[in-house]
mmCIF file of all heavy atoms in Angstrom:
data_model
loop_
_atom_site.group_PDB
_atom_site.id
_atom_site.type_symbol
_atom_site.label_atom_id
_atom_site.label_comp_id
_atom_site.label_asym_id
_atom_site.label_seq_id
_atom_site.Cartn_x
_atom_site.Cartn_y
_atom_site.Cartn_z
ATOM 1 N N PRO J 9 28.487 -10.174 -11.109
ATOM 2 C CA PRO J 9 27.684 -9.103 -10.525
ATOM 3 C C PRO J 9 28.531 -8.097 -9.765
ATOM 4 O O PRO J 9 29.632 -8.400 -9.323
ATOM 5 C CB PRO J 9 26.742 -9.849 -9.579
ATOM 6 C CG PRO J 9 27.506 -11.063 -9.183
ATOM 7 C CD PRO J 9 28.299 -11.467 -10.393
ATOM 8 N N ILE J 10 27.976 -6.891 -9.589
ATOM 9 C CA ILE J 10 28.751 -5.809 -8.990
ATOM 10 C C ILE J 10 28.701 -5.819 -7.475
ATOM 11 O O ILE J 10 29.510 -5.145 -6.836
ATOM 12 C CB ILE J 10 28.271 -4.446 -9.530
ATOM 13 C CG1 ILE J 10 26.766 -4.268 -9.296
ATOM 14 C CG2 ILE J 10 28.624 -4.320 -11.000
ATOM 15 C CD1 ILE J 10 26.262 -2.891 -9.692
ATOM 16 N N ILE J 11 27.778 -6.560 -6.861
ATOM 17 C CA ILE J 11 27.686 -6.690 -5.406
ATOM 18 C C ILE J 11 27.874 -8.159 -5.057
ATOM 19 O O ILE J 11 27.174 -9.021 -5.595
ATOM 20 C CB ILE J 11 26.337 -6.198 -4.875
ATOM 21 C CG1 ILE J 11 26.017 -4.789 -5.386
ATOM 22 C CG2 ILE J 11 26.307 -6.263 -3.350
ATOM 23 C CD1 ILE J 11 26.995 -3.714 -4.971
ATOM 24 N N GLN J 12 28.820 -8.440 -4.149
ATOM 25 C CA GLN J 12 29.062 -9.837 -3.761
ATOM 26 C C GLN J 12 28.955 -10.060 -2.259
ATOM 27 O O GLN J 12 29.007 -11.201 -1.802
ATOM 28 C CB GLN J 12 30.453 -10.276 -4.222
ATOM 29 C CG GLN J 12 30.772 -9.972 -5.669
ATOM 30 C CD GLN J 12 31.422 -8.610 -5.818
ATOM 31 O OE1 GLN J 12 32.231 -8.189 -4.996
ATOM 32 N NE2 GLN J 12 31.064 -7.896 -6.883
ATOM 33 N N THR J 13 28.840 -9.002 -1.456
ATOM 34 C CA THR J 13 28.761 -9.148 -0.001
ATOM 35 C C THR J 13 27.387 -9.625 0.453
ATOM 36 O O THR J 13 27.242 -10.158 1.547
ATOM 37 C CB THR J 13 29.085 -7.822 0.696
ATOM 38 O OG1 THR J 13 28.313 -6.776 0.086
ATOM 39 C CG2 THR J 13 30.565 -7.498 0.564
ATOM 40 N N HIS J 14 26.367 -9.389 -0.394
ATOM 41 C CA HIS J 14 25.001 -9.838 -0.113
ATOM 42 C C HIS J 14 24.359 -10.229 -1.433
ATOM 43 O O HIS J 14 24.771 -9.761 -2.500
ATOM 44 C CB HIS J 14 24.165 -8.730 0.543
ATOM 45 C CG HIS J 14 24.700 -8.262 1.862
ATOM 46 N ND1 HIS J 14 24.409 -8.883 3.057
ATOM 47 C CD2 HIS J 14 25.536 -7.234 2.176
ATOM 48 C CE1 HIS J 14 25.019 -8.254 4.045
ATOM 49 N NE2 HIS J 14 25.722 -7.259 3.540
ATOM 50 N N PHE J 15 23.350 -11.069 -1.373
ATOM 51 C CA PHE J 15 22.551 -11.357 -2.555
ATOM 52 C C PHE J 15 21.572 -10.203 -2.762
ATOM 53 O O PHE J 15 20.843 -9.831 -1.848
ATOM 54 C CB PHE J 15 21.801 -12.677 -2.413
ATOM 55 C CG PHE J 15 22.704 -13.881 -2.430
ATOM 56 C CD1 PHE J 15 22.930 -14.607 -1.277
ATOM 57 C CD2 PHE J 15 23.330 -14.276 -3.598
ATOM 58 C CE1 PHE J 15 23.754 -15.718 -1.286
ATOM 59 C CE2 PHE J 15 24.166 -15.383 -3.619
ATOM 60 C CZ PHE J 15 24.379 -16.109 -2.461
ATOM 61 N N THR J 16 21.580 -9.651 -3.979
ATOM 62 C CA THR J 16 20.751 -8.478 -4.275
ATOM 63 C C THR J 16 19.975 -8.709 -5.564
ATOM 64 O O THR J 16 20.396 -9.464 -6.443
ATOM 65 C CB THR J 16 21.620 -7.222 -4.423
ATOM 66 O OG1 THR J 16 22.644 -7.473 -5.413
ATOM 67 C CG2 THR J 16 22.274 -6.843 -3.109
ATOM 68 N N ALA J 17 18.838 -8.042 -5.676
ATOM 69 C CA ALA J 17 18.008 -8.180 -6.873
ATOM 70 C C ALA J 17 17.238 -6.885 -7.113
ATOM 71 O O ALA J 17 17.341 -5.929 -6.334
ATOM 72 C CB ALA J 17 17.042 -9.354 -6.698
ATOM 73 N N ASP J 18 16.474 -6.851 -8.206
ATOM 74 C CA ASP J 18 15.539 -5.767 -8.499
ATOM 75 C C ASP J 18 16.200 -4.391 -8.401
ATOM 76 O O ASP J 18 15.767 -3.517 -7.638
ATOM 77 C CB ASP J 18 14.343 -5.847 -7.549
ATOM 78 C CG ASP J 18 13.675 -7.201 -7.555
ATOM 79 O OD1 ASP J 18 13.567 -7.797 -8.644
ATOM 80 O OD2 ASP J 18 13.260 -7.675 -6.474
ATOM 81 N N PRO J 19 17.261 -4.132 -9.187
ATOM 82 C CA PRO J 19 18.005 -2.884 -9.067
ATOM 83 C C PRO J 19 17.177 -1.667 -9.448
ATOM 84 O O PRO J 19 16.460 -1.665 -10.454
ATOM 85 C CB PRO J 19 19.163 -3.087 -10.037
ATOM 86 C CG PRO J 19 18.634 -4.049 -11.058
ATOM 87 C CD PRO J 19 17.755 -4.978 -10.289
ATOM 88 N N ALA J 20 17.287 -0.617 -8.645
ATOM 89 C CA ALA J 20 16.569 0.637 -8.900
ATOM 90 C C ALA J 20 17.550 1.797 -8.766
ATOM 91 O O ALA J 20 17.687 2.387 -7.693
ATOM 92 C CB ALA J 20 15.408 0.793 -7.925
ATOM 93 N N PRO J 21 18.269 2.133 -9.838
ATOM 94 C CA PRO J 21 19.266 3.202 -9.758
ATOM 95 C C PRO J 21 18.621 4.584 -9.779
ATOM 96 O O PRO J 21 17.610 4.823 -10.441
ATOM 97 C CB PRO J 21 20.108 2.968 -11.012
ATOM 98 C CG PRO J 21 19.173 2.328 -11.982
ATOM 99 C CD PRO J 21 18.259 1.471 -11.154
ATOM 100 N N LEU J 22 19.226 5.504 -9.040
ATOM 101 C CA LEU J 22 18.825 6.906 -8.997
ATOM 102 C C LEU J 22 20.070 7.767 -9.113
ATOM 103 O O LEU J 22 21.026 7.576 -8.347
ATOM 104 C CB LEU J 22 18.099 7.215 -7.685
ATOM 105 C CG LEU J 22 17.873 8.697 -7.352
ATOM 106 C CD1 LEU J 22 16.823 9.309 -8.285
ATOM 107 C CD2 LEU J 22 17.469 8.884 -5.892
ATOM 108 N N VAL J 23 20.079 8.719 -10.040
ATOM 109 C CA VAL J 23 21.187 9.660 -10.159
ATOM 110 C C VAL J 23 20.817 10.929 -9.406
ATOM 111 O O VAL J 23 19.790 11.560 -9.671
ATOM 112 C CB VAL J 23 21.495 9.980 -11.631
ATOM 113 C CG1 VAL J 23 22.604 11.013 -11.727
ATOM 114 C CG2 VAL J 23 21.874 8.715 -12.385
ATOM 115 N N HIS J 24 21.668 11.310 -8.444
ATOM 116 C CA HIS J 24 21.402 12.517 -7.657
ATOM 117 C C HIS J 24 22.719 13.159 -7.257
ATOM 118 O O HIS J 24 23.589 12.509 -6.672
ATOM 119 C CB HIS J 24 20.589 12.162 -6.402
ATOM 120 C CG HIS J 24 20.301 13.358 -5.527
ATOM 121 N ND1 HIS J 24 19.417 14.336 -5.891
ATOM 122 C CD2 HIS J 24 20.825 13.727 -4.328
ATOM 123 C CE1 HIS J 24 19.372 15.249 -4.942
ATOM 124 N NE2 HIS J 24 20.215 14.913 -3.991
ATOM 125 N N ASP J 25 22.863 14.432 -7.576
ATOM 126 C CA ASP J 25 24.062 15.205 -7.227
ATOM 127 C C ASP J 25 25.351 14.499 -7.644
ATOM 128 O O ASP J 25 26.336 14.454 -6.886
ATOM 129 C CB ASP J 25 24.077 15.500 -5.716
ATOM 130 C CG ASP J 25 23.107 16.619 -5.332
ATOM 131 O OD1 ASP J 25 22.594 17.298 -6.231
ATOM 132 O OD2 ASP J 25 22.880 16.797 -4.126
ATOM 133 N N GLY J 26 25.359 13.936 -8.835
ATOM 134 C CA GLY J 26 26.565 13.335 -9.389
ATOM 135 C C GLY J 26 26.901 11.956 -8.885
ATOM 136 O O GLY J 26 27.974 11.436 -9.186
ATOM 137 N N VAL J 27 25.991 11.344 -8.117
ATOM 138 C CA VAL J 27 26.209 10.018 -7.556
ATOM 139 C C VAL J 27 25.117 9.073 -8.062
ATOM 140 O O VAL J 27 23.945 9.471 -8.193
ATOM 141 C CB VAL J 27 26.170 10.051 -6.015
ATOM 142 C CG1 VAL J 27 26.337 8.654 -5.424
ATOM 143 C CG2 VAL J 27 27.242 10.991 -5.476
ATOM 144 N N VAL J 28 25.496 7.824 -8.367
ATOM 145 C CA VAL J 28 24.508 6.792 -8.655
ATOM 146 C C VAL J 28 24.183 6.083 -7.351
ATOM 147 O O VAL J 28 25.051 5.465 -6.727
ATOM 148 C CB VAL J 28 25.022 5.775 -9.691
ATOM 149 C CG1 VAL J 28 23.969 4.675 -9.906
ATOM 150 C CG2 VAL J 28 25.327 6.467 -11.011
ATOM 151 N N TYR J 29 22.932 6.215 -6.929
ATOM 152 C CA TYR J 29 22.426 5.488 -5.761
ATOM 153 C C TYR J 29 21.653 4.275 -6.271
ATOM 154 O O TYR J 29 20.693 4.424 -7.018
ATOM 155 C CB TYR J 29 21.525 6.387 -4.915
ATOM 156 C CG TYR J 29 22.273 7.503 -4.239
ATOM 157 C CD1 TYR J 29 22.328 8.782 -4.811
ATOM 158 C CD2 TYR J 29 22.939 7.293 -3.037
ATOM 159 C CE1 TYR J 29 23.022 9.811 -4.193
ATOM 160 C CE2 TYR J 29 23.635 8.323 -2.406
ATOM 161 C CZ TYR J 29 23.667 9.572 -2.992
ATOM 162 O OH TYR J 29 24.369 10.585 -2.370
ATOM 163 N N LEU J 30 22.104 3.105 -5.862
ATOM 164 C CA LEU J 30 21.511 1.860 -6.349
ATOM 165 C C LEU J 30 20.733 1.193 -5.213
ATOM 166 O O LEU J 30 21.326 0.626 -4.293
ATOM 167 C CB LEU J 30 22.606 0.933 -6.870
ATOM 168 C CG LEU J 30 22.163 -0.459 -7.329
ATOM 169 C CD1 LEU J 30 21.201 -0.362 -8.498
ATOM 170 C CD2 LEU J 30 23.368 -1.319 -7.670
ATOM 171 N N TYR J 31 19.418 1.282 -5.293
ATOM 172 C CA TYR J 31 18.550 0.614 -4.324
ATOM 173 C C TYR J 31 18.265 -0.791 -4.827
ATOM 174 O O TYR J 31 18.038 -1.005 -6.028
ATOM 175 C CB TYR J 31 17.248 1.387 -4.147
ATOM 176 C CG TYR J 31 17.469 2.800 -3.651
ATOM 177 C CD1 TYR J 31 17.709 3.845 -4.550
ATOM 178 C CD2 TYR J 31 17.466 3.098 -2.295
ATOM 179 C CE1 TYR J 31 17.927 5.144 -4.106
ATOM 180 C CE2 TYR J 31 17.685 4.400 -1.842
ATOM 181 C CZ TYR J 31 17.915 5.407 -2.749
ATOM 182 O OH TYR J 31 18.136 6.685 -2.314
ATOM 183 N N THR J 32 18.279 -1.750 -3.911
ATOM 184 C CA THR J 32 18.030 -3.142 -4.302
ATOM 185 C C THR J 32 17.118 -3.819 -3.286
ATOM 186 O O THR J 32 17.070 -3.428 -2.118
ATOM 187 C CB THR J 32 19.333 -3.958 -4.374
ATOM 188 O OG1 THR J 32 19.807 -4.226 -3.048
ATOM 189 C CG2 THR J 32 20.407 -3.243 -5.170
ATOM 190 N N SER J 33 16.445 -4.853 -3.740
ATOM 191 C CA SER J 33 15.876 -5.799 -2.800
ATOM 192 C C SER J 33 16.999 -6.733 -2.353
ATOM 193 O O SER J 33 18.121 -6.662 -2.845
ATOM 194 C CB SER J 33 14.714 -6.564 -3.428
ATOM 195 O OG SER J 33 15.141 -7.258 -4.587
#
């Protein structure tokens, strides 16, 4: 997985102004 500092789930990516913002539970 791409995140290891916390347990994350339910990825909700948003592309805005050239950046991928990844919201997670």
